[in-house]
Amino acid sequence: MRARALVAGGLAAVLLTGCAQSVDPIERLGKKAAQRVGSYGPDGPGGESRADGRPYRHWGLLAPLQAPPRVAVRAAVRRGGLLPVVRRVGTSDKVVFLTYDDGAERDPRFVDMVRELRLPVSMFLTDSVVGPGYGHFARLQSVGASIQNHTLDHSALRGLPYAGQRAEICGQQEKVRSRFGIRPRLFRPPYGTYDRTTLRAAADCGLSAVVLWSVSLEGGAPRRPLRAGDIVSVASGEASGPTLTERTTTVLREIERRGLTVGRLEDYL
């Protein structure tokens, strides 16, 4: 009887261990631990995530990304009671900012890229586009991506009455709060179109700045040479085209060629 009890106990332990291993690895690590995984260079913490200790090579880069400068959080300045509209950041720091819209693409390798390279990307999410995919963006948030507001339904806002614009913007604020436990500070209007009513509604929904972009991609590459302070819009791609990870690699190579690195947009606004 004693032997049977020991065998049964051992089987139970194996079964329980198997269940624990099926849990998402990011959930097992926990948010803070996951954020520590990866590094800017071969000697940084977490560089051991690749066999040669140089994760940047795995992602097609020739050298590690430089760490961005440490900056104090800067409050966006309102003028005339309206939110500021930011197309590029006025800074002498050699940084650009990577932003992604909608949430249509859920490339699992992109989560690994953000984690291993510690990319401070900003995700502007639309509820009707993300659909059931919020879990993917929770994983991105857990490895350092920021989650921002891109409306509930991706409606063109300019010309809509205040009530309609407020419903789109505030509605997504509540969706993000319920899903991620945060309220976004930054708002990107769909198609980059807005009016004074948009700025008023966004302010009333608790946002601090309207963020557009100064550079977009064409064929996966920036339309013009990158400069310090550029806000890069990495738009959703075609199903048959390069993946989100591949397009990001192309941008990162250009960033390195220009002697720049990736900054956290929220640190500058």
Side-chain angles (χ1 to χ4, degrees):
M1 292 296 290
R2 178 181 175 83
R4 289 179 183 177
L6 288 172
V7 170
L11 287 173
V14 169
L15 290 172
L16 287 172
T17 302
C19 290
Q21 289 177 339
S22 69
V23 176
D24 186 297
I26 292 176
E27 292 178 7
R28 291 203 307 272
L29 282 171
K31 181 176 179 180
K32 290 185 178 179
Q35 287 174 334
R36 291 195 296 269
V37 177
S39 70
Y40 286 108
D43 299 324
E48 67 277 9
S49 60
R50 293 292 168 187
D52 64 357
R54 289 175 282 192
Y56 62 89
R57 287 190 172 183
H58 174 79
W59 300 109
L61 304 181
L62 297 178
L65 288 170
Q66 297 181 28
R70 294 182 179 276
V71 296
V73 174
R74 304 169 185 177
V77 179
R78 296 191 186 193
R79 294 177 180 174
L82 297 176
L83 291 189
V85 178
V86 182
R87 290 178 173 81
R88 65 189 308 271
V89 174
T91 179
S92 59
D93 294 343
K94 293 184 176 182
V95 294
V96 297
F97 308 96
L98 297 184
T99 65
Y100 300 77
D101 290 357
D102 305 339
E105 290 183 82
R106 295 184 279 279
D107 180 355
R109 294 188 71 238
F110 185 65
V111 179
D112 295 334
M113 173 183 257
V114 170
R115 182 182 69 241
E116 293 190 12
L117 297 180
R118 296 179 66 184
L119 289 178
V121 298
S122 300
M123 316 299 296
F124 289 85
L125 300 185
T126 296
D127 181 67
S128 63
V129 177
V130 175
Y134 274 104
H136 171 81
F137 294 99
R139 289 189 284 276
L140 271 171
Q141 184 197 32
S142 76
V143 297
S146 76
I147 305 298
Q148 305 298 339
N149 188 325
H150 198 42
T151 72
L152 279 175
D153 297 313
H154 210 271
S155 301
L157 298 179
R158 186 169 60 196
L160 292 180
Y162 172 82
Q165 296 204 37
R166 181 185 171 98
E168 280 285 336
I169 300 169
C170 287
Q172 184 62 353
Q173 286 289 90
E174 288 304 312
K175 282 284 185 179
V176 171
R177 184 196 62 76
S178 66
R179 295 282 187 171
F180 302 99
I182 60 162
R183 287 183 179 273
R185 291 178 45 234
L186 306 179
F187 172 65
R188 174 168 285 170
Y191 315 107
T193 62
Y194 67 96
D195 54 21
R196 289 177 65 88
T197 302
T198 310
L199 304 184
R200 185 160 63 94
D204 291 345
C205 293
L207 291 144
S208 60
V210 171
V211 177
L212 302 181
W213 58 91
S214 55
V215 178
S216 57
L217 304 188
E218 186 174 275
R223 289 176 177 266
R224 63 159 174 79
L226 296 176
R227 301 193 298 265
D230 274 332
I231 298 174
V232 182
S233 172
V234 185
S236 297
E238 301 296 331
S240 59
T243 66
L244 191 64
T245 301
E246 291 167 342
R247 297 200 309 280
T248 301
T249 295
T250 299
V251 177
L252 291 176
R253 287 172 178 166
E254 175 66 12
I255 288 170
E256 287 194 323
R257 278 195 293 269
R258 298 288 166 184
L260 303 165
T261 192
V262 183
R264 184 174 298 280
L265 184 60
E266 294 72 25
D267 289 346
Y268 287 80
L269 296 179

